[in-house]
Amino acid sequence: MTRKNDIVLSIGLIVKNEEENLARCLDSLKPLMETIPCQLIITDTGSADSTVEIAKRYTDEVYEFEWCDDFAAARNAGLKKAKGQWFMFIDGDEWFEDCQDLIDFFQSGEYKEYKNATYIVRNYVNKKDKSNYEDQHLGRLYKIRKGMAFQGSIHEYISLELPIKELHSYANHYGYSTDNSKEHKQIKHQRNLSLLIKEYQKDPDNCRLAYLLAKQYAAGKDKKSYRNLIREFYEKHQEDWENEYLPYFTYQTALICKEEGNPEQGAEILKKYKKNRKEAEVWDLDILAALSDTCFSAGKFKAAIKYAKEYFKLFSAFQKGDVPTGISGITTQPTFVNEESTITLYNVMLKSYIKLEEYEQAMNIIQHLDWNIMILEDLNISLHLLFHMVFTRSQWMLLPDIYSRLLQTGQQGKSQLFVELLEKKIVEYLSAYEALAKEFACNENLRKDFPEDNYVLLQKLRWSMVLSDNESKSIADRFLEKNKGARVEPVFAEFVLFALANPTYRDLVLDKIDLEDLHLYTHKVVSLYSNLHELFIYLFSGWNGLRMTGSRRFNYWIICFMEIILLSNAKVEKSTKSELTDIYVEKAHEYMTQLYNHAVLCEEQIYLLPRSYRFIYYMYEAKKAVVEGNRHDYVKQLKKAVAVYPIMGGVVDSLVNTMEEKFEKEPSNKSEFDFYAESVKRKIKEIAKEERLRDEAIKLLDAYKKINPKDEEGIAELRLLLRIDN
């Protein structure tokens, strides 16, 4: 048995229903308890599971405590049993992976030189993602002194005294990541809030309670109460320079000023605090960061850069361990104390240099950015600034290297954000399309390290189309083969266009895209290509070579695509637009006959169909009137078409102009023989759609050849329709 005077460290826990966690916690303490003379005290506050039985396997000192809504009282019940020179507390759902730093602190005798010590509590945001956490240095170890006791019914604490040793051992804590129930979080929030308000009303001069209550208001998104409390504290204590909570309230007051549109006042508050500090400590990092930000918001860009530089100088010293944490750095947690937070300051400097048009310095900042540690929120800001500068100064060569660096991070979300933002920018600045395609396609880093990256392939495709070097189809096939079976994102809409022209990939791609989403893909391509009709011709080998297939999805897309081309502002020659309109009406009508019974496609029933289909019906009737030379009926049908689908009014106007010219060149009425011939051909086309009537259609074609052998073109078209080879 260890004598009372031999015990160096008493370890205290308060627990309730911790059967899932307690053994892991206590097992992690074994190396410490086996090396250092320790006492383990466990206070149970009413467990209904096997927590007590588990606890008794590790210590004889397991005590019951009747819960009274007072965490300090429960902690003190265990503290009164402590026999060691030091006391440490830990929660049952925390555990150390390595407590060697704690062991060294006591084994070396270093503990005799301090009154308090901290260790890190690592709070995980998501239980499944161990890379997403927040570290807090918490005062959890105390040299036992007379009258020492926990205070506070919630967020209990013992006042810290200098000197304080900062230990680097960390305890994992999943507690916050497992509270996923919104209802549970709300109940917990209301419980904590009511306890804090009650305590604060009893002791309104207690700075720690003011801090905890402000944090609770912030957690509950009660902005009004939060701001009132922050201002109240700051007004009362703004010149209490030794107050350990003043840095936090100064910082938050400045941020509130900025949010309320008065960053100059915020900057003055921060300057006043900075001027009256005797020596730098860790909280000065947040003060300098806020100073830089508020100065930028106030339009004082040179001052923003100055304070950012001061921040980086202090941060470098902090990393070397030359900046003391101080009590305020433990009781309140500063924000700008890690590599990730420095990105915010780099972005302020970057924005400031761009505002001052000092682009060389801005480029120097970009070169210093660490894309690996940057979170997406900060990356979004950095990329917007980068693109603004690049597009303003046409420095296209910078972007492929930045993209290469983002790919090297292996963090897909970052490269995706780059692509998303850049593509939006390209649509705004189409003049950059060709230059960017060339830079990406020819960049050595990308060609060497990421030749098959999807976005690199997209830029290669674009550059190939600029050069017209016939490589575009090959590049598209590489992309489609690489992404076989996967959904093609709208940003890669050009590849969808190529897929639809290639039967090998057509169905694979279309099966992953909803019909409604096809408009997104088409509009993306339309926004990039003023000569879209030429690309369409290139892929589908001319309008007349376009054939409807058995796939309704494919047919629908072709119709949508042609409609969007017709409605776009692309510069299409009148004759080409007329030809496209003619093909559009023909193919859309053919598609309608796939969907609907012939009985519906008549004047009496057509009102049952959607507007766009009614438009096609009337346009097709107008087309038949042209064939028959009936100008009056032609105009009548066009008017009906525009009435049901006004969006196509411009297309119809263009068609009318073209047809008017055609009518002027031709006789006003066709001969009776021509009218009869057209009627026969139309009849052959109609019955050819029914496979069972194919033989009848062939007989009718034979008869037509005898009466009108000079119509070689019409006969050839009908032979092709009926699949007659000889």
Side-chain angles (χ1 to χ4, degrees):
M1 295 292 292
T2 304
R3 293 190 310 238
K4 177 179 178 180
N5 292 339
D6 292 334
I7 297 174
V8 173
L9 179 64
S10 296
I11 303 172
L13 290 83
I14 60 172
V15 294
K16 182 179 180 181
N17 297 332
E18 290 286 0
E19 64 179 3
E20 290 186 11
N21 304 310
L22 187 57
R24 180 178 58 188
C25 171
L26 299 179
D27 283 340
S28 76
L29 293 171
K30 277 184 178 180
L32 175 64
M33 293 190 291
E34 289 171 354
T35 308
I36 307 300
C38 288
Q39 173 194 18
L40 179 61
I41 308 162
I42 299 178
T43 305
D44 183 77
T45 62
S47 294
D49 58 8
S50 61
T51 297
V52 172
E53 289 78 5
I54 294 170
K56 287 180 178 179
R57 296 205 299 262
Y58 292 84
T59 179
D60 293 333
E61 296 195 57
V62 180
Y63 303 100
E64 291 184 7
F65 178 84
E66 187 175 344
W67 182 245
C68 58
D69 283 339
D70 191 328
F71 283 92
R75 293 280 186 200
N76 286 329
L79 178 59
K80 289 176 182 177
K81 308 286 185 182
K83 302 170 184 175
Q85 300 172 46
W86 277 64
F87 181 80
M88 180 181 95
F89 72 95
I90 185 172
D91 289 337
D93 61 349
E94 298 172 353
W95 79 100
F96 288 97
E97 288 189 11
D98 182 358
C99 56
Q100 188 59 47
D101 204 23
L102 278 163
I103 294 170
D104 293 342
F105 177 64
F106 289 104
Q107 196 172 40
S108 66
E110 188 182 12
Y111 71 94
K112 297 175 183 177
E113 302 172 14
Y114 293 90
K115 292 185 178 180
N116 287 100
T118 68
Y119 64 77
I120 299 168
V121 175
R122 180 161 290 181
N123 294 304
Y124 291 92
V125 177
N126 187 320
K127 195 172 183 179
K128 296 180 180 178
D129 182 9
K130 294 200 75 173
S131 65
N132 192 0
Y133 59 81
E134 177 184 309
D135 282 351
Q136 288 183 291
H137 278 274
L138 298 179
R140 292 285 187 89
L141 292 102
Y142 305 86
K143 186 175 184 178
I144 294 180
R145 60 184 186 271
K146 187 176 180 180
M148 187 176 83
F150 284 93
Q151 302 175 58
S153 60
I154 186 170
H155 300 305
E156 65 283 9
Y157 71 101
I158 298 173
S159 297
L160 297 172
E161 293 184 4
L162 296 173
I164 301 171
K165 172 67 177 180
E166 292 181 31
L167 300 171
H168 300 292
S169 292
Y170 64 87
N172 296 296
H173 182 226
Y174 283 156
Y176 300 127
S177 67
T178 56
D179 285 344
N180 291 322
S181 165
K182 186 175 181 181
E183 182 181 359
H184 178 71
K185 287 181 178 180
Q186 185 62 24
I187 292 172
K188 194 172 181 179
H189 166 71
Q190 289 299 333
R191 180 202 69 183
N192 293 352
L193 183 63
S194 61
L195 287 172
L196 284 168
I197 290 174
K198 188 184 296 184
E199 287 212 7
Y200 186 66
Q201 288 172 343
K202 292 178 184 176
D203 189 4
D205 292 325
N206 188 313
C207 297
R208 185 175 186 276
L209 285 174
Y211 164 72
L212 293 172
L213 183 55
K215 297 275 282 186
Q216 201 66 46
Y217 280 138
K221 296 182 173 29
D222 185 350
K223 189 176 286 188
K224 181 179 179 181
S225 298
Y226 167 78
R227 289 184 173 183
N228 288 341
L229 185 56
I230 293 289
R231 289 186 183 282
E232 177 188 322
F233 180 97
Y234 181 74
E235 290 298 321
K236 191 184 298 184
H237 299 279
Q238 61 179 295
E239 294 188 357
D240 184 5
W241 307 115
E242 300 304 316
N243 190 308
E244 63 197 81
Y245 295 96
L246 181 60
Y248 170 82
F249 283 92
T250 301
Y251 173 76
Q252 295 298 337
T253 302
L255 293 186
I256 290 171
C257 290
K258 179 195 165 189
E259 290 170 5
E260 293 178 343
N262 194 355
E264 295 93 341
Q265 183 184 2
E268 290 305 314
I269 287 170
L270 294 164
K271 288 176 187 176
K272 177 182 175 182
Y273 173 85
K274 183 174 178 291
K275 179 182 177 181
N276 287 277
R277 291 293 295 167
K278 293 181 180 178
E279 58 179 328
E281 65 167 45
V282 69
W283 252 104
D284 288 70
L285 290 168
D286 276 34
I287 299 299
L288 288 168
L291 257 173
S292 180
D293 186 48
T294 51
C295 284
F296 175 84
S297 297
K300 298 177 181 178
F301 307 124
K302 289 185 177 180
I305 294 169
K306 169 181 174 262
Y307 288 119
K309 287 181 176 179
E310 282 189 39
Y311 166 87
F312 283 112
K313 183 178 179 181
L314 185 63
F315 183 76
S316 178
F318 170 72
Q319 286 184 306
K320 296 173 184 175
D322 296 336
V323 178
T325 298
I327 292 179
S328 63
I330 298 171
T331 55
T332 58
Q333 297 292 317
T335 301
F336 292 86
V337 292
N338 52 44
E339 290 284 355
E340 290 85 346
S341 61
T342 63
I343 302 298
T344 303
L345 273 296
Y346 277 123
N347 278 334
V348 173
M349 291 182 75
L350 184 57
K351 289 188 289 187
S352 299
Y353 280 128
I354 290 174
K355 288 288 188 181
L356 294 169
E357 298 185 358
E358 296 180 8
Y359 295 111
E360 294 305 318
Q361 290 87 338
M363 278 308 307
N364 188 47
I365 294 296
I366 287 173
Q367 297 305 322
H368 279 85
L369 290 174
D370 188 337
W371 308 100
N372 284 286
I373 65 172
M374 196 181 297
I375 62 173
L376 287 178
E377 183 179 352
D378 287 330
L379 177 63
N380 188 34
I381 296 170
S382 297
L383 290 177
H384 271 99
L385 294 169
L386 172 65
F387 293 157
H388 171 78
M389 186 169 64
V390 166
F391 279 79
T392 301
R393 308 187 73 210
S394 301
Q395 293 183 310
W396 319 116
M397 73 294 297
L398 298 174
L399 296 184
D401 285 332
I402 298 295
Y403 185 60
S404 177
R405 287 167 62 186
L406 288 172
L407 288 174
Q408 287 168 5
T409 67
Q411 300 170 46
Q412 191 176 12
K414 293 181 177 179
S415 54
Q416 285 178 340
L417 179 61
F418 177 98
V419 170
E420 177 187 328
L421 296 179
L422 181 55
E423 285 298 298
K424 287 180 181 177
K425 204 74 174 175
I426 290 173
V427 172
E428 294 174 22
Y429 295 85
L430 286 176
S431 58
Y433 170 93
E434 184 174 322
L436 279 169
K438 180 180 180 181
E439 291 294 339
F440 272 85
C442 301
N443 183 272
E444 286 301 321
N445 289 334
L446 292 175
R447 289 170 64 139
K448 176 185 173 184
D449 299 327
F450 306 101
E452 297 300 307
D453 172 74
N454 283 346
Y455 193 62
V456 174
L457 286 173
L458 176 61
Q459 293 289 14
K460 286 180 179 178
L461 176 79
R462 291 172 176 174
W463 183 234
S464 175
M465 288 193 289
V466 170
L467 297 177
S468 300
D469 61 4
N470 297 319
E471 289 294 317
S472 53
K473 288 183 179 178
S474 171
I475 295 168
D477 285 350
R478 281 161 58 193
F479 173 92
L480 294 167
E481 185 63 30
K482 175 176 178 282
N483 296 278
K484 205 169 185 177
R487 181 178 184 271
V488 178
E489 297 298 324
V491 71
F492 301 110
E494 287 125 296
F495 287 119
V496 174
L497 184 59
F498 277 82
L500 294 167
N502 186 336
T504 303
Y505 301 106
R506 181 182 298 157
D507 292 336
L508 287 172
V509 170
L510 284 176
D511 283 345
K512 299 290 182 181
I513 302 173
D514 291 332
L515 290 178
E516 293 83 357
D517 288 343
L518 285 173
H519 287 281
L520 294 175
Y521 292 80
T522 310
H523 279 293
K524 174 67 195 305
V525 181
V526 168
S527 67
L528 291 173
Y529 297 96
S530 59
N531 62 336
L532 189 56
H533 59 288
E534 295 175 7
L535 178 58
F536 193 82
I537 293 171
Y538 166 66
L539 289 173
F540 293 95
S541 303
W543 308 122
N544 294 327
L546 182 61
R547 292 285 176 267
M548 293 284 102
T549 72
S551 168
R552 292 181 180 179
R553 186 186 290 265
F554 171 72
N555 296 344
Y556 177 80
W557 187 90
I558 291 296
I559 294 164
C560 289
F561 192 88
M562 287 192 286
E563 180 177 306
I564 291 171
I565 292 178
L566 289 169
L567 290 172
S568 72
N569 294 322
K571 295 180 180 178
V572 183
E573 292 183 8
K574 187 192 297 184
S575 60
T576 304
K577 197 163 191 176
S578 176
E579 183 183 7
L580 177 58
T581 304
D582 193 51
I583 297 294
Y584 164 66
V585 171
E586 181 73 33
K587 301 308 176 186
H589 187 268
E590 194 173 330
Y591 174 68
M592 285 169 58
T593 62
Q594 290 180 324
L595 294 180
Y596 299 105
N597 188 290
H598 288 289
V600 180
L601 301 179
C602 63
E603 183 74 27
E604 292 76 18
Q605 300 292 326
I606 195 66
Y607 72 91
L608 297 171
L609 301 186
R611 285 178 175 273
S612 58
Y613 289 169
R614 279 183 271 164
F615 171 79
I616 293 299
Y617 170 80
Y618 290 123
M619 290 295 289
Y620 190 75
E621 292 297 308
K623 183 180 176 182
K624 288 197 304 187
V626 170
V627 173
E628 296 167 1
N630 189 337
R631 187 186 308 199
H632 175 75
D633 195 44
Y634 170 70
V635 174
K636 178 182 175 183
Q637 298 298 335
L638 288 182
K639 286 181 177 179
K640 289 182 179 180
V642 173
V644 298
Y645 204 40
I647 193 173
M648 294 293 277
V651 175
V652 173
D653 288 343
S654 176
L655 188 63
V656 168
N657 293 334
T658 303
M659 287 302 172
E660 286 294 337
E661 294 173 6
K662 183 176 179 181
F663 276 129
E664 288 174 6
K665 294 177 183 178
E666 296 180 353
S668 59
N669 291 298
K670 290 195 172 189
S671 67
E672 187 176 343
F673 175 81
D674 289 337
F675 178 77
Y676 174 73
E678 292 294 346
S679 298
V680 172
K681 286 197 292 183
R682 190 162 61 251
K683 181 65 175 177
I684 292 171
K685 289 180 180 179
E686 287 178 0
I687 65 177
K689 294 172 184 175
E690 300 288 338
E691 185 63 31
R692 60 188 177 84
L693 299 177
R694 182 171 180 272
D695 292 341
E696 182 181 338
I698 292 174
K699 290 178 183 179
L700 193 56
L701 175 58
D702 289 338
Y704 178 75
K705 284 192 293 184
K706 291 177 182 178
I707 65 172
N708 195 16
K710 292 182 179 180
D711 186 11
E712 295 178 358
E713 185 178 342
I715 292 169
E717 181 185 2
L718 291 170
R719 286 171 63 85
L720 183 63
L721 181 64
L722 292 167
R723 305 188 301 283
I724 300 173
D725 298 327
N726 50 54

